[in-house]
């Protein structure tokens, strides 16, 4: 490999002045109203008395929180019902109201942007994917702002978008609303939130896609992720999110999760990553590496999605490429399991989500290499959102913000009395 050519094509390295200052960055603490909203999301239609038992709040407190959520249109009451087998006093259950509001999402990937609409239970209502017409930040963000009202008019069924959540890979600062550094897009210090807030017409929330998907798993996905988890995202960008004590860890500078350059060793033909070296995780498993490797083996494909479809259809070359990807991902997963000892590690990788043999390969690699994992079938699981990962990521940023602060200043909601 000619390192001089590689370094000439790379972005200049980060300077100290590019790094956001370390802040207090407190752990997420769920409010009482947020806890009630989460219990209704989990169990609705549900009695207020049950919500009190689930949350540990007093019945009077739960009634007050439910009243506030009803006033805001986030929950609704169902018809009066009796207790189990007709026993006990009748009660009026509460459930999430999906008839009035949605959240919107935008996932900005290396080749395309995915716009989506999600109802307040986490169900994807609509999505569309558009290839970039250039990756300049202004152009990409302008297309997001222009596409949102069209998607809402076509699929919103008269509902109002509460907010737009934006997710992308690499280093994202959700507090400042900026993409600090995304080498594959060529973005550095891009004020995504402020730019879209001026043009999209709704509040905007930003986070990394791995943290967004960890939050989505906590809200309406894999229950085991709620207190302790690692979410490993494998796409054109490779990164991770860490859940400890119920909070998604961000780091004092919001840089947690950069696992792209873990040394795992690859069978690639010397291809280099954006870090300038071969043998790291991203250089071996990224989507672009998969497409290139397919061509080297006489299987030219138009893109990664076509390669995956061939593997699912049984093409032996494509299937072996995904098994190889799973083995490399398994090496990284074993390191992360031993480093963090989470309750569960979620693999966000479409091959392991759709090809049982690939997941078997990944788990076998984990069992061969991990010290702490004694049951890979239980500890290593596919994403809950296989087939809708990108649509879920962006919208989950907004839905997570709503659950963190349901009584906050949401312009589309009635004011809290």
């Amino acid at each position: 490999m000619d390192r001089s050519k590689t370094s000439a094509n790379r972005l200049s390295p980060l300077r100290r002045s590019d790094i956001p200052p370390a802040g207090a960055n407190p752990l997420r603490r769920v409010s009482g109203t947020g806890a009630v909203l989460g219990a209704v999301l989990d169990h609705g239609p549900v009695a207020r008395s049950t919500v009190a038992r689930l949350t540990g709040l007093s019945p009077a407190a739960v009634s007050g929180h439910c009243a506030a959520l009803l006033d805001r249109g986030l929950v609704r009451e169902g018809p009066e019902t009796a207790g189990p087998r007709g026993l006990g006093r009748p009660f009026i259950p509460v459930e999430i109201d999906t008839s009035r509001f949605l959240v919107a999402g935008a996932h900005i990937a290396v080749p395309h942007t995915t716009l989506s609409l999600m109802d307040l239970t986490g169900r994807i209502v609509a999505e569309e994917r558009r290839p970039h017409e250039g990756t300049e930040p202004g152009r990409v963000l302008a297309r997001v702002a222009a596409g949102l009202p069209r998607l809402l008019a076509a699929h919103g069924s008269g509902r109002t978008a509460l907010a737009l959540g934006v997710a992308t890979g690499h280093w994202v600062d959700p507090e400042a609303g900026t993409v600090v550094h995304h080498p594959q897009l060529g973005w550095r210090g891009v004020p995504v939130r402020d730019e879209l807030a001026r043009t999209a017409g709704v509040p905007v929330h930003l986070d990394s896609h791995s943290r967004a998907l960890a939050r989505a798993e906590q809200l309406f996905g894999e229950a085991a992720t709620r207190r302790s988890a690692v979410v490993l995202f494998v796409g054109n960008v490779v990164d991770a999110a860490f859940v400890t004590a119920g909070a998604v860890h961000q780091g004092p500078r919001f840089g947690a999760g950069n696992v792209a350059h873990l040394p795992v060793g690859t069978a690639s033909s010397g291809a280099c990553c954006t870090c300038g070296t071969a043998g790291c995780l991203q250089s071996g498993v990224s989507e672009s590496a998969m497409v290139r490797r397919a061509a080297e083996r006489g299987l030219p494909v138009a893109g990664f999605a076509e390669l995956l479809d061939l593997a699912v259809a049984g093409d032996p070359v494509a299937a072996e490429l995904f098994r190889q990807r799973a083995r490399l991902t398994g090496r990284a997963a074993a390191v992360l399991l031993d480093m963090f000892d989470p309750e569960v590690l979620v693999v966000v990788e479409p091959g392991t989500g759709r090809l049982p043999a690939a997941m078997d390969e990944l788990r076998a690699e984990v069992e061969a290499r991990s010290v702490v994992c004694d049951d890979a079938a239980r500890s290593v699981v596919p994403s809950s959102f296989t087939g809708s990962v990108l649509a879920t990521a962006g919208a989950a940023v907004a839905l997570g913000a709503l659950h963190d602060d349901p009584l906050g200043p949401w312009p589309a909601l009635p004011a809290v009395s």
Side-chain angles (χ1 to χ4, degrees):
M1 178 186 69
D2 187 340
R3 289 186 180 272
S4 64
K5 290 182 180 179
T6 300
S7 60
N9 291 330
R10 291 173 58 199
L11 293 172
S12 58
L14 279 175
R15 300 163 297 178
R16 187 175 295 276
S17 60
D18 295 322
I19 301 174
N25 187 22
L27 292 176
R28 177 179 59 84
R29 291 181 174 86
V30 178
S31 66
T33 312
V36 169
L37 184 61
V40 176
L41 175 64
D42 278 345
H43 301 283
V46 61
R48 290 166 175 81
S49 59
T50 302
V51 172
R53 290 196 298 273
L54 291 166
T55 60
L57 298 169
S58 70
V62 169
S63 293
H65 294 310
C66 284
L69 293 170
L70 285 163
D71 288 346
R72 301 215 92 179
L74 299 177
V75 303
R76 62 189 172 196
E77 293 182 329
E80 184 176 86
T81 184
R85 294 186 293 277
L87 301 176
R89 297 176 60 184
F91 65 91
I92 300 176
V94 289
E95 62 185 346
I96 300 294
D97 189 344
T98 60
S99 66
R100 300 173 62 182
F101 303 109
L102 299 163
V103 292
H107 179 274
I108 302 171
V110 175
H112 50 67
T113 294
T114 302
L115 290 177
S116 61
L117 298 173
M118 175 186 283
D119 73 18
L120 300 191
T121 67
R123 184 178 70 88
I124 296 297
V125 173
E127 66 175 290
E128 66 176 27
R129 182 172 298 180
R130 294 191 172 192
H132 296 318
E133 295 177 348
T135 57
E136 300 87 351
R139 177 176 291 190
V140 172
L141 298 180
R143 297 188 79 205
V144 169
L148 176 57
R150 291 197 300 267
L151 192 65
L152 194 60
H155 302 285
S157 301
R159 289 171 284 187
T160 300
L162 292 176
L164 169 64
V166 183
T168 191
H170 289 294
W171 190 355
V172 176
D173 181 343
E175 190 172 275
T178 62
V179 173
V180 179
H181 190 214
H182 194 310
Q184 286 141 304
L185 288 175
W187 291 16
R188 193 194 300 276
V190 178
V192 170
R193 184 183 61 206
D194 290 349
E195 180 64 28
L196 284 173
R198 287 192 293 269
T199 55
V202 293
V204 178
H205 300 269
L206 173 72
D207 209 340
S208 77
H209 56 204
S210 54
R211 290 196 294 257
L213 289 165
R215 192 75 173 98
E217 293 285 357
Q218 289 183 303
L219 285 171
F220 46 87
E222 175 62 50
T225 63
R226 294 195 172 176
R227 292 201 55 81
S228 171
V230 171
V231 175
L232 177 58
F233 184 101
V234 181
N236 267 312
V237 173
V238 178
D239 50 21
F242 312 109
V243 177
T244 57
V248 180
H249 179 66
Q250 297 175 320
R253 297 178 181 86
F254 305 97
N258 185 1
V259 300
H261 311 302
L262 284 175
V264 294
T266 76
S268 65
S269 57
C272 286
C273 179
T274 54
C275 67
T277 60
C280 70
L281 179 61
Q282 188 163 272
S283 68
V285 303
S286 71
E287 292 181 3
S288 57
M290 292 284 287
V291 171
R292 186 197 68 251
R293 203 169 295 125
E296 291 171 351
R297 298 193 183 186
L299 192 65
V301 291
F304 179 82
E306 182 182 341
L307 180 61
L308 178 58
D309 287 342
L310 286 173
V312 172
D315 182 274
V317 174
E320 174 54 31
L321 287 173
F322 277 95
R323 288 194 296 270
Q324 181 187 87
R325 189 191 209 201
R327 290 191 290 270
L328 292 175
T329 302
R331 295 181 190 180
V335 171
L336 295 173
L337 283 163
D338 287 353
M339 186 177 295
F340 294 98
D341 190 19
E343 179 72 21
V344 66
L345 184 143
V346 179
V347 181
V348 185
E349 192 279 316
T352 51
R354 296 181 61 188
L355 296 165
M359 179 56 85
D360 290 344
E361 293 273 7
L362 191 154
R363 286 171 170 156
E365 197 75 19
V366 165
E367 292 193 339
R369 293 174 178 269
S370 172
V371 175
V372 304
C373 179
D374 57 3
D375 185 357
R378 180 189 63 82
S379 298
V380 181
V381 299
S383 169
S384 300
F385 314 110
T386 298
S388 61
V389 163
L390 304 187
T392 298
V397 176
L399 192 59
L402 178 66
H403 276 259
D404 287 344
D405 190 16
L407 301 186
W410 297 86
L413 295 179
V416 179
S417 57

